Amino acid sequence: MPFTLPPLPYAMDALEPHMSKRTLEFHYGKHHQAYLDNMNKQIAGSELEAKTLEGVVLSSWNNGSPTPVFNNAAQVWNHTFFWENMKPNGGGAPSGKLADAINASFGSLDEFKAQFKNAGATQFGSGWAWLVADKAGKLTVEKTPNAVTPLVEGKTPILTMDVWEHAYYLDVQNRRPDYMNTFVEKLIDWEAVAKRFEAATA
Amino acid sequence: MARIISYMNRFVIVAAAASALLACSAQAQIQQVALPYALDALEPEIDNATMNFHYGTHYATYVNNTLAALKNATDSGVRLPVATSNLTALISSIKRLPSPLNTTIRNQGGGAWNHALYFKHLTPPGSPATQSTAISAPLRDAINANFGSVDNMTAALSAAAGKVFGSGWAWLCYTGNSSADLAITTTPNQDNPLMGQLPGAPAVSAAGCTPILGIDVWEHAYYLKHGPKRPAYLESFWKVLNWQQVSKNYDSAVQGLELDLSEAAPRALEAPSKAVSAGSSSSGSAGFGAMAAAAAALLAVV
């Protein structure tokens, strides 16, 4: 059974003016779709077809010697995760247990934001910035190159930000810091992040 | 928008001229290659807006960051094995640079070198230099010997460029190996075959070879005009490639000379002024493995 893409959780223009419709049309409609189509072609007729997407990602990671399937499978997973942690009129601040955990792990929300943006800024080339939770509720910021995801280290991400140039180039060109500020202040769906935190620490 | 872009064109030309004039009076140092064409001259194949950002911001930033890192290192009394004015020697000596300078030179210095090669070997579409008749006899012979034909080579290089995942470059490079002296290879991010096989990096075929032709496939090279369609950009690339410059690059590599990446008078508004060549006249050598040896011989304390 080939995999399919979940629909975008909002309309293509719903994140305007923070992330343009044109960006979403390319990012979801072309990049994400192409990763899916390519992955499906690669796994057609193999035992990978019977796995969950996460199973395909972990299997193709092949303990650090990834097969050609990995780049596509991981990017399918990463992008679905990315859409789900943004919303129209996002931003603001987390509350409840997540807020407490952020304060406990980083000292303050501002300090978390600074570290998260620094991870995005210092991931040279293409990649992702992540907020990861362990079972005890300790949070850490990580960055990965290209398609790599904390899943392959057995970790549980609860938030991600795409820093491939295609995520921001139409909107702010080279100004990755501007994109990251906008993402953090205007796009993050803290409720979605909180739900993932709950699940990670359950 | 058009007015802003034409203003920016003039600004970049003035800035390039100004920095070249400054370079004349100061110590030679790494600087941006001055463009031998206007920022909008590669239209419609490479658009003006992309050139403004790509040359005026991305490339400029790599150069500035490289200079800042070198200044920081020398101010802190770090002894470097090569002259700070010689970008080719620096990137060829990555493995001998102390941390964290080695990472900065790899990323920022690599970016500076790669973009110098790239912009220097582009030229307006339709100009004679873009025709395959502009390929020198020695380079044509080498291409035919290694790939069968120019068309075979460009197809293979485009295929390699299409396969790069994430940010990176595809290269035609000179190996110095007499039985197969040209090779196609790719590197991630701003890595370059001259850096050799870097620890922890994916395997680079023909590591150590000297690039004579480079295709930038970072998304910033094509996204404004083509969105995700990298193949469309690759088609355009071949229409603005300056085969005369590629032939010169091959010639330099064969002779064991460093590629001349930092010369060219700035595109002056009035009388042309000469920019100081930053290190390109040094007696460095190129080719498979020879670069590192030459860099070692260039010991300079700064």
Side-chain angles (χ1 to χ4, degrees):
Chain A
M1 260 291 282
F3 288 87
T4 55
L5 277 195
L8 209 54
Y10 28 75
M12 296 258 187
D13 61 357
L15 302 183
E16 298 253 4
H18 310 303
M19 188 175 279
S20 66
K21 176 182 181 191
R22 196 156 147 74
T23 292
L24 267 288
E25 283 172 339
F26 281 138
H27 204 173
Y28 176 82
K30 303 288 178 192
H31 291 275
H32 196 184
Q33 187 66 52
Y35 292 130
L36 179 93
D37 294 341
N38 289 337
M39 177 188 72
N40 278 337
K41 274 187 216 137
Q42 286 171 317
I43 68 176
S46 79
E47 86 252 349
L48 292 175
E49 271 194 310
K51 290 184 182 290
T52 61
L53 180 60
E54 214 170 286
V56 178
V57 172
L58 293 173
S59 177
S60 60
W61 174 246
N62 193 28
N63 292 311
S65 301
T67 72
V69 174
F70 177 77
N71 281 341
N72 289 315
Q75 286 292 79
V76 174
W77 193 95
N78 295 339
H79 283 87
T80 299
F81 195 82
F82 179 56
W83 309 131
E84 288 171 356
N85 70 198
M86 291 190 289
K87 68 170 190 179
N89 303 311
S95 57
K97 289 187 193 156
L98 176 58
D100 294 342
I102 286 175
N103 289 334
S105 297
F106 299 101
S108 67
L109 180 62
D110 280 349
E111 179 55 29
F112 154 69
K113 288 179 180 178
Q115 286 192 32
F116 189 67
K117 289 189 285 189
N118 186 59
T122 56
Q123 182 51 51
F124 190 73
S126 308
W128 301 78
W130 304 87
L131 180 60
V132 165
D134 71 9
K135 274 213 129 335
K138 172 108 177 82
L139 299 174
T140 47
V141 164
E142 300 197 1
K143 62 189 184 197
T144 56
N146 295 347
V148 183
T149 159
L151 281 189
V152 306
E153 294 168 325
K155 293 182 179 170
T156 306
I158 64 172
L159 170 67
T160 194
M161 177 173 63
D162 190 349
V163 292
W164 283 62
E165 286 178 325
H166 64 239
Y168 58 89
Y169 213 80
L170 295 181
D171 294 343
V172 293
Q173 294 81 57
N174 60 293
R175 301 187 310 277
R176 193 189 286 188
D178 287 356
Y179 157 70
M180 296 193 296
N181 279 336
T182 299
F183 176 84
V184 167
E185 298 303 326
K186 305 288 186 186
L187 288 171
I188 293 180
D189 181 350
W190 283 113
E191 279 158 15
V193 180
K195 287 200 186 109
R196 289 176 178 158
F197 179 72
E198 290 284 318
T201 53
Chain B
M1 184 66 171
R3 283 207 357 245
I4 294 168
I5 286 173
S6 82
Y7 173 79
M8 283 174 75
N9 283 346
R10 266 176 262 144
F11 173 76
V12 171
I13 289 162
V14 170
S19 69
L21 284 169
L22 278 173
C24 286
S25 55
Q27 283 291 339
Q29 66 171 13
I30 293 162
Q31 60 188 8
Q32 274 187 279
V33 151
L35 288 182
Y37 44 82
L39 286 166
D40 60 359
L42 304 185
E43 289 268 9
E45 304 304 338
I46 297 186
D47 57 300
N48 192 354
T50 294
M51 288 298 289
N52 268 308
F53 286 111
H54 202 179
Y55 180 87
T57 305
H58 290 276
Y59 177 21
T61 303
Y62 288 128
V63 171
N64 292 336
N65 288 345
T66 301
L67 291 171
L70 289 170
K71 180 174 197 310
N72 190 45
T74 56
D75 286 354
S76 322
V78 174
R79 288 167 85 95
L80 299 177
V82 298
T84 59
S85 57
N86 189 329
L87 184 56
T88 301
L90 278 166
I91 67 163
S92 304
S93 315
I94 296 276
K95 292 180 195 168
R96 299 169 55 222
L97 298 178
S99 175
L101 182 66
N102 56 354
T103 298
T104 310
I105 296 299
R106 174 186 185 175
N107 291 340
Q108 307 298 325
W113 197 100
N114 298 342
H115 286 84
L117 180 86
Y118 180 77
F119 287 116
K120 190 132 188 253
H121 72 13
L122 300 180
T123 196
S127 56
T130 63
Q131 306 304 309
S132 66
T133 44
I135 301 174
S136 70
L139 178 56
R140 181 177 292 277
D141 287 346
I143 289 174
N144 289 340
N146 285 275
F147 302 100
S149 67
V150 172
D151 283 351
N152 283 357
M153 185 278 284
T154 60
L157 187 50
S158 286
K163 291 207 189 82
V164 173
F165 185 78
S167 310
W169 291 74
W171 309 99
L172 176 68
C173 60
Y174 175 74
T175 66
N177 180 345
S178 56
S179 60
D181 72 338
L182 289 178
I184 286 174
T185 190
T186 63
T187 50
N189 297 341
Q190 296 298 346
D191 289 0
N192 180 301
L194 284 169
M195 297 177 182
Q197 183 58 56
L198 295 170
V204 175
S205 66
C209 68
T210 300
I212 65 170
L213 194 176
I215 310 183
D216 188 349
V217 291
W218 281 62
E219 287 169 329
H220 65 239
Y222 59 89
Y223 213 79
L224 293 181
K225 182 176 170 72
H226 297 286
K229 294 193 207 135
R230 196 187 289 177
Y233 158 68
L234 295 175
E235 271 194 51
S236 279
F237 174 83
W238 294 112
K239 293 181 182 158
V240 292
L241 182 67
N242 183 337
W243 285 110
Q244 278 174 7
Q245 184 60 45
V246 178
S247 300
K248 281 188 200 159
N249 293 343
Y250 176 70
D251 191 54
S252 297
V254 166
Q255 289 184 63
L257 299 172
E258 285 177 16
L259 300 192
D260 196 354
L261 293 181
S262 50
E263 59 81 76
R267 204 174 157 279
L269 296 174
E270 46 237 342
S273 58
K274 284 227 166 209
V276 172
S277 292
S280 60
S281 57
S282 66
S283 59
S285 59
F288 215 99
M291 187 59 82
L298 275 175
L299 265 179
V301 177
V302 281

